Amino acid sequence: MMSAEAMETKKISRLRSRLVVVLVASTVAMLVVLVVLSLFVPRATSSEEQNKPTKPNIIFILADDLGWNDVGFHGSNQIPTPNIDALAYSGIILNDYYATPLCTPSRSALFTGKHPIHTGMQHEVIYGFEPWGLGLEERLLPEYFKDLGYATHLVGKWHLGHFKKEYTPTFRGFDSHFGYWCGHTDYYDHNSEEALAFWGHDLKSGMMTRRDLVGNYTTTLFSDEAVRLIDAHDASEPMLLVVSHSAPHAGNPAIPLQAPDDIVDKFKVENIPDPRRQIYAAMVWLLDRSVGQIISALSRKGMLDNSIVIFSSDNGGAGANYNRNVASNWPLRGGKDTIWEGGVKVAGLIWSPLLKEANKVFNKICSIQDWLPTLLAVAGGKSVDGIDGKNIWPALNNSSRDTYDQILVQIDDLRNISAVRKGRYKFLSGIYELIIAIYLINEGIRDKELLGKDAMTFRLDQRAARESMICVVFKRVKQQVL
């Protein structure tokens, strides 16, 4: 009998063949990275060899709310993602890779190496009007890398607090930040609707608001900035570049899904009948194009052969109209903001010429909190005490090495939900309460009787309403579930 890994590899091979048919409809420009990676990297000149840093460049590309089934390397037959797939097939596909159910907790885990229960970030996302953030006592990934001589840059979403300047990216280890502080924005005017009572323009260069870029599409702006940073970088120094895309997270409720018309037209096809799904597909297509542009820029600069590239979603896809979005996590159950696999098992890969083993599917448990200790180890940094993440580099490079067989998925005492996985088994608790919470968020948020004097009171009233209505809603939900 075939091993599970061999069967998965065979499946991937079949899916790759299917994807070729889909890619015929893509533009030639989308295939540039396939050529770059298949030819590997142009040989550097002697001067480039002399100026090459000894530490690897770290390029971390973070998608937002991307569905498990919305990339080609997981078998999507609706959305071609050739650039992401090129990295996956010539790198390592992370097939048992976990994040957390929501944006803010996952970002805190990435940057601290700690499970969100150890930083107080496990419950909610941070809304723009709220006076809290990831604690200043926490040392973040860019701070560690600055100590190692890295240039550190963040492009895109932050979502870890901004109520005081000390909580913003350039005060927390990043040399530069171009992007936004809140959880989402409109893709064209860059305003963010934060609950019913708060709107604001949220596109920044450092601490400066960028109103001059109204009308420019967010994904394109972030791609251009990432390429500009690579082009301007002194290649004799190592670089940490985190590109934290908006896509395909929904924008504001009035127009949640947005993409240029000419790109949307590519997806008005028979196998995508839902107009919203057509726009979503265009958003993912543009995300994939951004990946290609970043890889091409690294190659032109002579940096690619000494780079580690990681692509990851921050949580499961937002489907079934959650945030008015239409991601697909098939065949996984659930989606964003749930503790089912569809909410926490995410699309991820790692690509690098420094990997001793590549072109494989990695079926061992790993997590978004593992990247800090893993990348620090590769860069020659010291191990960090008191964190939850593990260095998975040895296991990535040696199939006989394991990672770990147990992972805490979530503990949220406010919602009374929790989940832990050990080996092939996963324990979940509080699922009825989770369904009730989602019911009230979807229905109660439009109930004016729940709205207090301001948005802060509104959120407190939501929680109070959830507790007071639990018996009534439980009966309704129990009938639907059972």
Side-chain angles (χ1 to χ4, degrees), residues 155 221-233 241 243 290 292-298 300:
V155 177
L221 287 174
F222 292 168
S223 302
D224 291 348
E225 175 66 5
V227 170
R228 185 193 70 79
L229 288 167
I230 293 167
D231 289 343
H233 180 66
L241 173 61
V243 184
S290 171
Q293 291 168 338
I294 291 168
I295 298 300
S296 295
L298 290 168
R300 289 194 306 269

Side-chain angles (χ1 to χ4, degrees), residues 5 68 92-99 115 341 344-346 361-371 374 388-396 399 401-409 420-427:
E5 187 163 342
W68 176 269
I92 298 176
I93 296 172
L94 306 175
N95 211 42
D96 226 352
Y97 172 56
Y98 285 86
H115 193 285
E341 291 291 87
V344 293
K345 182 179 281 192
V346 299
V361 178
F362 190 71
N363 286 315
K364 297 169 184 177
I365 296 175
C366 52
S367 164
I368 197 168
Q369 66 201 22
D370 294 330
W371 292 121
T374 300
D388 303 299
K390 307 298 182 185
N391 175 12
I392 62 171
W393 190 256
L396 290 169
S399 297
R401 298 283 295 270
D402 287 325
T403 53
Y404 42 87
D405 73 340
Q406 181 170 304
I407 183 170
L408 174 64
V409 176
V420 63
R421 175 181 165 183
K422 182 172 176 59
R424 296 175 53 204
Y425 299 95
K426 183 176 177 184
F427 173 80

Side-chain angles (χ1 to χ4, degrees), residues 29 64 94 110 172 188 266 291 333 402:
D64 201 340
L94 306 175
L110 170 64
R172 308 217 59 177
Y188 287 102
K266 296 177 183 290
V291 172
R333 181 180 186 179
D402 287 325

Side-chain angles (χ1 to χ4, degrees), residues 250-309:
N252 295 318
I255 313 177
L257 301 175
Q258 297 171 292
D261 290 342
D262 61 323
I263 307 300
V264 176
D265 288 343
K266 296 177 183 290
F267 296 96
K268 292 181 177 179
V269 292
E270 185 177 350
N271 71 330
I272 311 180
D274 185 348
R276 298 177 303 162
R277 180 73 176 168
Q278 293 168 1
I279 301 171
Y280 176 90
M283 295 166 73
V284 175
W285 192 93
L286 288 164
L287 169 67
D288 179 79
R289 185 176 72 175
S290 171
V291 172
Q293 291 168 338
I294 291 168
I295 298 300
S296 295
L298 290 168
S299 180
R300 289 194 306 269
K301 191 71 175 181
M303 295 169 59
L304 188 58
D305 61 339
N306 191 37
S307 290
I308 297 172
V309 180

